[in-house]
Structure formats: C-alpha cells, structure tokens
C-alpha cells in the first residue's frame, strides 16, 4: 500500500546526543516536510524539500538538519544544539507546488530526552 | 503572515448529535485553500475536508461539511450524526496556492464523542 512510514515510533535521547528520525514514502511525491507538534500548539514547520538534493528551512529549523538524497527519503537529525527536543514529530509529503495539494502524513515519532 | 485561530481547545458531543468546530484565519490573499485535518489517538493526521476560496459552494464529505464565510474569514466544520470514531484532535489549516510548504495550522480542537 502507498503511504508514509516514520520510524521509530518512540525514541529516547540522552543529553548531548544527535538522533535521526526516519521518513520514507512510496507515493512518488516530490515534496516532503517535517513538522513539530507540541501540546496546545498547531504543527510548526521545521524543514521542507520540494525536490531531491534541495531543502529549505521552515519556521523552527535551528538545532535540526535534513538531507534529501533520494526522492523517497527525508531523514531528520535532531542535534545537540536543539535545546528542547522533546516533542512529537510528523513527516508529510505532497505532490508538490501547484494546485490543491493535500499533505499526507506519517504516524509520527515521539522523541523524549532522558 | 497568515494566522489560523481555533478558539475552542476542547469540545464534547453526544453520539448521533451534531457539533460545529470553529476556525478563523487572517490573510490578505484572495485565493487560497483551507483544510480540516483529523488526528485520532493513533496520531495519524487524516484529511477530512478541503475548500478552495474561489468556490462559493461549501464543501461536503458525507457527515462532514463546512461553512465557509470568505468575508468573515471563517471556516467552521460541522459533523453530523457524530460517531465514537470521530473522537480526535481537529486541526484547521490554511495554504496559499503554489506554496504547500507554507501551510499554517491552528492549535487544534480536541473533540470527544460520548456514548
């Protein structure tokens, strides 16, 4: 079945560690996104990529990094520079710019700093 | 910048009844898209319904319908014949054409359907 797969579902990070969240899609979508979700707030955009080998910062990119080496994959690294990384992270994809493009979401990764 | 406001953090409704979730937004654009997403306890975000601003007719998807008031910048979601499976967080979202990377979400409304 087509869709977006995020892994792991739960992730624990020690202080000072970098961790990488995986996001894979088989929808043949050009655009992919990473959002952060905190209680009482809407989704906030971390990074997005409209094509392979290209990505742009969103509203809250500090302390995060991404890569887009393949169309299907858009991993997110939470670095030690991110001071408050405990949150729920959602990956999404869409066909791309133009037209009424709805976003399709993965099931999310809950990251907790221990 | 566009902002999206959902003024009801939590709501509840009895099974089989009707409930309306509010959403207002702020923009100077004339053409844009609006969405309602549902996030059940599984945390998977699912598109419920969408509306194109240039279309005057309100969108409908089975038990879900919207009341789009462009002049008032209001986009409410009506759920008819509420079911237990409708229990979820509901997010209103705004997007400009050609800018899907700039989708703006409201803070969400937690809806509980009671048996």
């Amino acid at each position: 079945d087509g869709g977006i797969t995020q892994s792991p579902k739960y992730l624990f990070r020690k202080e000072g560690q970098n961790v990488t969240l995986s996001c894979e899609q088989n929808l043949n979508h050009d655009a992919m996104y990473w959002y952060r979700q905190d209680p009482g707030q809407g989704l906030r955009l971390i990074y997005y990529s409209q094509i392979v080998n290209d990505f742009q910062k969103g509203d809250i990119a500090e302390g995060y990094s991404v890569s887009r080496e393949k169309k299907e994959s858009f991993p997110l690294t939470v670095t030690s520079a991110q001071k408050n990384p405990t949150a729920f992270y959602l990956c999404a994809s869409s066909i791309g710019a133009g037209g009424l493009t709805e976003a399709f979401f993965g099931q999310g990764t809950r990251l907790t700093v221990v | 910048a566009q902002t999206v406001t959902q003024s009801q953090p939590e709501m509840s409704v009895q099974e089989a009844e009707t409930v309306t979730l509010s959403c207002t937004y702020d923009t100077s654009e004339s053409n844009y898209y609006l969405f309602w997403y549902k996030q059940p306890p599984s945390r998977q975000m699912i598109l419920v319904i969408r509306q194109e601003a240039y279309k005057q007719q309100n969108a409908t998807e089975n038990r879900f319908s919207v009341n789009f008031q462009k002049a008032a910048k209001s986009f409410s979601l009506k759920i008819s014949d509420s079911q237990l499976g409708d229990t979820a967080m509901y997010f209103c979202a705004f997007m400009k054409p050609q800018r899907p990377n700039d989708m703006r979400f409201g803070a969400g409304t937690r809806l509980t359907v009671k048996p």
Side-chain angles (χ1 to χ4, degrees):
Chain A
D1 287 355
I4 299 178
T5 302
Q6 289 186 241
S7 62
K9 190 172 182 178
Y10 299 97
L11 186 58
F12 297 89
R13 191 194 92 169
K14 293 182 179 179
E15 295 278 354
Q17 277 186 338
N18 291 357
V19 291
T20 298
L21 284 59
S22 170
C23 178
E24 304 277 334
Q25 55 99 357
N26 60 3
L27 299 167
N28 200 33
H29 286 170
D30 287 315
M32 296 187 75
Y33 317 85
W34 274 105
Y35 290 93
R36 171 176 171 143
Q37 185 177 14
D38 293 285
Q41 298 191 41
L43 279 64
R44 292 182 292 167
L45 184 66
I46 304 172
Y47 267 98
Y48 66 95
S49 168
Q50 295 192 0
I51 56 172
V52 175
N53 292 322
D54 182 63
F55 48 83
Q56 305 295 328
K57 293 181 179 180
D59 296 327
I60 54 167
E62 184 175 352
Y64 300 98
S65 66
V66 293
S67 62
R68 187 84 187 277
E69 297 176 2
K70 299 186 300 181
K71 187 175 186 178
E72 302 79 17
S73 179
F74 191 42
L76 173 74
T77 297
V78 184
T79 74
S80 57
Q82 170 49 239
K83 299 305 179 187
N84 185 23
T86 294
F88 189 68
Y89 292 87
L90 282 164
C91 179
S93 71
S94 67
I95 293 173
L100 183 51
T101 54
E102 69 178 88
F104 292 81
F105 288 83
Q107 291 192 310
T109 295
R110 164 72 64 186
L111 173 63
T112 304
V113 174
V114 296
Chain B
Q2 284 65 230
T3 58
V4 179
T5 303
Q6 293 179 248
S7 59
Q8 306 150 315
E10 294 189 24
M11 294 190 72
S12 64
V13 63
Q14 291 295 131
E15 194 175 8
E17 293 187 347
T18 296
V19 64
T20 299
L21 280 57
S22 301
C23 173
T24 59
Y25 56 93
D26 182 27
T27 185
S28 58
E29 303 285 334
S30 60
N31 191 25
Y32 46 87
Y33 303 133
L34 295 163
F35 305 85
W36 277 99
Y37 279 90
K38 170 185 177 181
Q39 187 180 43
S42 67
R43 305 303 295 268
Q44 177 101 47
M45 294 276 283
I46 304 165
L47 179 69
V48 174
I49 200 166
R50 57 191 172 194
Q51 175 82 39
E52 296 161 88
Y54 65 85
K55 288 186 177 179
Q56 294 187 348
Q57 186 173 4
N58 289 323
T60 299
E61 289 287 343
N62 300 314
R63 298 183 295 107
F64 299 88
S65 61
V66 299
N67 183 5
F68 174 48
Q69 301 289 328
K70 191 172 185 178
K73 297 180 183 176
S74 171
F75 183 60
S76 60
L77 174 69
K78 185 172 81 172
I79 305 174
S80 304
D81 185 25
S82 297
Q83 300 176 0
L84 297 178
D86 295 334
T87 293
M89 283 288 287
Y90 287 82
F91 292 95
C92 178
F94 171 102
M95 188 186 84
K96 289 191 286 188
Q98 313 299 327
R99 295 284 302 275
N101 52 285
D102 198 19
M103 184 176 285
R104 298 288 166 173
F105 288 84
T109 295
R110 183 176 301 280
L111 175 67
T112 302
V113 179
K114 299 180 179 179

